[in-house]
Amino acid sequence: MEDSVDVLMRIENMTVAYGPIVAVENLSFDVPQGGMVLVLGPNGAGKTTLVSALSGLISSRAGRVLLGRRDVTRIPAFRRVGQGVALVPEGRGTLPGLSVRENLYLGWRAAGARQTRTFGETVAEAVDLFPRLGERMNQDCQTLSGGEMQMLAIARALASRPQVLLLDEPSLGLAPQAVARVYEALGQLNARGMAMVVVEQKAVPLTIVPSLTVVLQRGRVVYARGGHRPNDGELAELYLGGGTPS
Ligand code: ATP
């Protein structure tokens, strides 16, 4: 692959395995500066494994992850977030018993020395993107609806001032209206230059065309294309057949 200043994150020949189970095999793609990479795949395709490895939560067996020119492959999650890689995990990962504000504070602290905003500015940014959070600021996050919880999970990740945001099935378990609101916000963020990798099982209401769409099937890439994404029919064919759509 050519070296390019436009590449924010580069995934090179990544293989991730759980003992004998190879969950992601020899995967390579670039996340451009300010770009969005959409990764689609059925159950068990390796989507969670991929974003977990990109965030440093699990180790890869082979390959490299570069952030800019820096090799972050062996940097664990708690330090990788300080380098600008933030994960919005499947199931949101918000902490029950803590208020919305306290969850945001944890995200803000996670940036470490890279933090450039005051906590007050961070809260204001979160409320600007998701006004509903402003009304819930002092509530235990357990009392939030699913959509509000997902908004909080995204706002908490953003509070760590990421260079790239990784989102694991942000639409999972949400009503269509909440999915639309979440994707509208992701579109706004991307338009402001936030790079992201979004994994999803189903087609989602994206307001922008991703820079790259990758479809995974049993840990392998069966489709990778820029400026286009498969429609529902093509996706069904890819998920069932594991080949390139005709
Ligand atoms: P889903 O949409 O169901 O979350 P996914 O695309 O995110 O699926 P992964 O969860 O990454 O897929 O799983 C990929 C493969 O790795 C599957 O075969 C799964 O059974 C296996 N796997 C995932 N986690 C583990 C684990 N902790 N131990 C062993 N195998 C695992």
Side-chain angles (χ1 to χ4, degrees):
M1 266 186 267
E2 280 176 26
D3 193 21
S4 166
V5 287
D6 294 335
V7 175
L8 176 64
M9 182 179 246
R10 172 162 286 176
I11 295 93
E12 273 181 4
N13 308 110
M14 175 185 267
T15 295
V16 190
Y18 304 96
I21 299 165
V22 178
V24 168
E25 193 171 354
N26 200 24
L27 185 65
S28 300
F29 64 86
D30 287 344
V31 183
Q33 294 276 2
M36 175 191 275
V37 176
L38 177 65
V39 180
L40 297 168
N43 267 331
K47 306 181 298 295
T48 296
T49 301
L50 169 65
V51 284
S52 301
L54 295 185
S55 69
L57 276 178
I58 55 176
S59 309
S60 48
R61 179 170 286 179
R64 297 199 305 168
V65 181
L66 303 177
L67 189 61
R69 290 171 188 276
R70 192 174 176 159
D71 187 341
V72 296
T73 317
R74 300 285 156 224
I75 296 182
F78 73 95
R79 283 185 44 221
R80 215 177 287 195
V81 66
Q83 312 257 325
V85 181
L87 173 67
V88 180
E90 187 176 343
R92 342 262 190 243
T94 48
L95 298 171
L98 295 187
S99 68
V100 168
R101 189 184 302 278
E102 287 164 339
N103 269 276
L104 291 175
Y105 183 72
L106 290 179
W108 180 77
R109 280 287 301 270
R114 282 189 65 258
Q115 187 56 265
T116 52
R117 302 276 204 277
T118 65
F119 181 56
E121 286 167 341
T122 299
V123 170
E125 280 179 4
V127 173
D128 183 52
L129 187 65
F130 297 119
R132 291 281 280 281
L133 292 183
E135 300 160 25
R136 307 271 188 270
M137 204 44 78
N138 297 314
Q139 275 178 229
D140 183 332
C141 66
Q142 254 176 319
T143 65
L144 302 182
S145 70
E148 290 165 350
M149 197 85 100
Q150 187 59 268
M151 292 174 194
L152 174 58
I154 294 169
R156 192 179 64 172
L158 288 171
S160 70
R161 308 229 64 75
Q163 298 188 62
V164 59
L165 194 59
L166 312 171
L167 298 111
D168 192 354
E169 295 203 53
S171 74
L172 195 69
L174 300 187
Q177 264 187 332
V179 174
R181 180 64 200 99
V182 163
Y183 270 91
E184 190 191 326
L186 294 181
Q188 283 171 18
L189 284 169
N190 188 244
R192 290 183 212 155
M194 175 60 67
M196 49 185 89
V197 177
V198 187
V199 314
E200 284 284 3
Q201 191 169 331
K202 298 186 187 127
V204 281
L206 278 184
T207 53
I208 54 156
V209 179
S211 351
L212 174 69
T213 300
V214 175
V215 179
L216 289 182
Q217 170 74 288
R218 290 187 221 99
R220 294 193 186 158
V221 175
V222 293
Y223 173 106
R225 211 177 287 179
H228 174 270
R229 62 191 166 117
N231 60 33
D232 288 346
E234 285 174 315
L235 260 191
E237 204 173 314
L238 285 162
Y239 284 12
L240 288 172
T244 313
S246 50

